[in-house]
């Protein structure tokens, strides 16, 4: 029974990670062509994505933070920074970013933030909170 539970947990982690990666790729392409203006949040967002793709999460967080300072209402930056925090097991900070994104993002993007936050709760073995976020995310989808 324990072995089966461990296998289920491992499978859930793989599915969640795959889902988060797909969403991240979607956000990256949705933002369009590269920007060379260092005075724009989009420029720093793209720089953060490059650091993130190279698994330099500390630098990605630094650069995403700069982008947030320039455009604190751009919810996709909170999502990506939350994923970087999650990759470094800075779970409280990841949860804070996913929660902030839920506060400011349009209804159409809330599902991704709920899955991100729910995934972090899942990694922390806070299963009831994870289930609540996953359930809410599922109920938002038509």
């Amino acid at each position: 029974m324990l072995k089966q539970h461990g296998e289920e947990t491992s499978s859930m982690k793989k599915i969640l990670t795959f889902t988060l990666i797909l969403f991240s790729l979607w956000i990256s392409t949705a933002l369009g062509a590269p920007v060379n203006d260092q005075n724009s949040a989009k420029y720093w967002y793209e720089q953060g994505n490059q650091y993130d793709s190279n698994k330099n999460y500390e630098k990605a967080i630094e650069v995403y933070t700069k982008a947030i300072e320039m455009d604190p209402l751009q919810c996709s930056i909170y999502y990506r920074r939350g994923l970087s925090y999650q990759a470094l097991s800075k779970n409280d900070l990841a949860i804070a970013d996913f929660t902030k994104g839920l506060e400011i993002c349009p209804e159409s993007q809330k599902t991704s933030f709920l899955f991100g936050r729910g995934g972090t709760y899942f990694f922390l073995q806070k299963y009831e909170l994870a289930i609540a976020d996953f359930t809410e995310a599922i109920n938002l989808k038509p």
Side-chain angles (χ1 to χ4, degrees), residues 40-105:
S40 78
K42 188 173 179 181
Y43 172 84
W44 294 107
Y45 175 81
E46 290 176 1
Q47 294 298 308
N49 289 345
Q50 288 179 8
Y51 287 117
D52 184 77
S53 68
N54 291 323
K55 300 185 188 307
N56 188 346
Y57 302 116
E58 290 287 348
K59 187 68 175 174
I61 290 166
E62 178 185 324
V63 173
Y64 288 140
T65 300
K66 191 170 197 164
I68 288 169
E69 289 168 359
M70 294 178 151
D71 188 356
L73 297 177
Q74 180 56 255
C75 63
S76 59
I77 305 169
Y78 290 97
Y79 181 78
R80 293 300 298 252
R81 189 175 72 173
L83 291 177
S84 293
Y85 280 135
Q86 192 182 64
L88 294 173
S89 297
K90 294 182 177 185
N91 296 309
D92 290 339
L93 294 170
I95 289 168
D97 272 1
F98 294 135
T99 301
K100 179 66 176 177
L102 283 166
E103 293 169 5
I104 64 172
C105 75

Side-chain angles (χ1 to χ4, degrees), residues 24-44:
S24 297
L25 291 172
W26 175 78
I27 284 181
S28 296
T29 51
L31 288 177
V35 172
N36 294 322
D37 180 7
Q38 292 186 14
N39 294 318
S40 78
K42 188 173 179 181
Y43 172 84
W44 294 107

